[in-house]
Amino acid sequence: MATNWLEIDVDAFAHNVRAFSDHLGARVGLAAVVKSDAYGHGMRLLAPVAVAERAALLAVGNIDEALELRSLVGPAVGVLVLGHVPAAAFPEAVRAGIQLTVYDEAAVAPLAGAAQAANAVARVHLKLETGTHRQGVTADRLLALADRIAAHGGRLEVAGLSTHFADIEDTTDHAYAMEQLERFRDAAGRLAARGFTSLIRHAACSAAAILFPETHFDMARIGIGLYGLWPSRETLVSARDRRIAGLDLRPVMSWRATIAQLKDVPAGAYVGYGRTWRATRPSRIAVLPLGYYEGYDRSISGRGHVLVRGVR
């Protein structure tokens, strides 16, 4: 019998999807990010909820997650891989109708070959490097990449353009993020002038979606916010400074445990490794049967909180 367990509130997740959809407005799609097993909450449990709440797209981190997701939600739901997909996986990805993120010209020919073999059209989203310096094509190579894909127009389609902010949630100074935004806008304009006029433009993460409507474009990728967590304390402070109200996020996961023992300790007694807490008065403590193995890191010793019958 389990002495500690996780509970997932499906209704809270659905509420958060609706909250962000309302915040974004009817003209902006919501891409529900369910990568890393829905941030540890269970992709198989929550992805169908996002679909039921009319998420425009489901986004994952790798091709294995995408294929699992495809078998779960069926062929009609858009599934986008945000991360790297090796060329060896292109045939399976194309057959499953998975949309891929592309930022390397070397991927174009093998992807077109996989689409040709499957008699299908592969939809791709170009990833623009604007200042995070992780995956992404630089602005000076963007048009060449788009043109190379367009040359395989019967088999490849440029469906979207994306970028990712480097420093928008861990700060209240958003100047760098605004520089990235301008680079993204400029690149989108140059693509439109080249004839790529129907792209789904998406740059916003949870923090950007909350704070800056100008980052919304056609779609926003919402991850951590869907699980009921603010991206950071700084995001919450920035939202209050901007008088952004009404975004009610409800935590989806709770960690629960039985109480193994209640004991009284006298004033002056120490509790825990390193004597990290000392009773200043006669106190009653509860012992919970969990530790490192269950995932409770020693670094949060003395800083965490527990609710007992709703009381902190």
Side-chain angles (χ1 to χ4, degrees), residues 147-237:
D147 287 343
R148 179 164 292 193
I149 293 171
H152 298 276
R155 293 304 172 197
L156 301 182
E157 175 191 350
V158 181
L161 174 69
S162 70
T163 196
H164 196 55
F165 292 108
D167 190 23
I168 204 165
E169 59 190 32
D170 295 322
T171 181
T172 56
D173 178 0
H174 298 104
Y176 188 80
M178 294 302 101
E179 291 174 10
Q180 288 189 262
L181 177 61
E182 285 307 309
R183 295 184 192 113
F184 183 74
R185 276 200 186 112
D186 177 70
R190 287 188 287 117
L191 278 173
R194 195 73 147 224
F196 298 92
T197 56
S198 301
L199 302 185
I200 300 171
R201 300 161 301 168
H202 50 106
C205 55
S206 294
I210 292 169
L211 298 175
F212 300 108
E214 60 267 41
T215 68
H216 292 176
F217 294 101
D218 305 300
M219 188 171 69
R221 303 184 305 271
I222 310 300
I224 194 68
L226 294 188
Y227 305 95
L229 301 176
W230 281 75
S232 66
R233 184 183 300 273
E234 291 82 359
T235 303
L236 182 57
V237 169

Side-chain angles (χ1 to χ4, degrees), residues 112-132:
Q116 178 73 34
N119 193 27
V121 176
R123 305 187 78 207
V124 304
H125 293 239
L126 306 179
K127 177 71 175 288
L128 177 68
E129 169 57 61
T130 59
T132 306

Side-chain angles (χ1 to χ4, degrees), residues 219-261:
M219 188 171 69
R221 303 184 305 271
I222 310 300
I224 194 68
L226 294 188
Y227 305 95
L229 301 176
W230 281 75
S232 66
R233 184 183 300 273
E234 291 82 359
T235 303
L236 182 57
V237 169
S238 296
R240 289 172 176 168
D241 286 346
R242 288 167 172 76
R243 301 183 185 278
I244 297 170
L247 189 62
D248 171 32
L249 300 182
R250 301 178 184 175
V252 175
M253 179 186 289
S254 57
W255 188 5
R256 298 178 181 268
T258 58
I259 292 177
Q261 185 181 9

Side-chain angles (χ1 to χ4, degrees), residues 42-104:
M43 183 176 72
R44 299 190 70 83
L45 179 64
L46 296 182
V49 179
V51 173
E53 295 297 334
R54 300 184 214 175
L57 198 69
L58 299 176
V60 292
N62 58 60
I63 187 60
D64 292 332
E65 288 183 320
L67 294 172
E68 181 183 357
L69 195 54
R70 174 59 75 224
S71 67
L72 176 66
V73 300
V77 178
V79 176
L80 170 65
V81 178
L82 300 172
H84 171 67
V85 175
F90 287 169
E92 195 170 12
V94 171
R95 288 195 298 269
I98 305 299
Q99 300 178 42
L100 303 182
T101 298
V102 172
Y103 45 86
D104 185 353

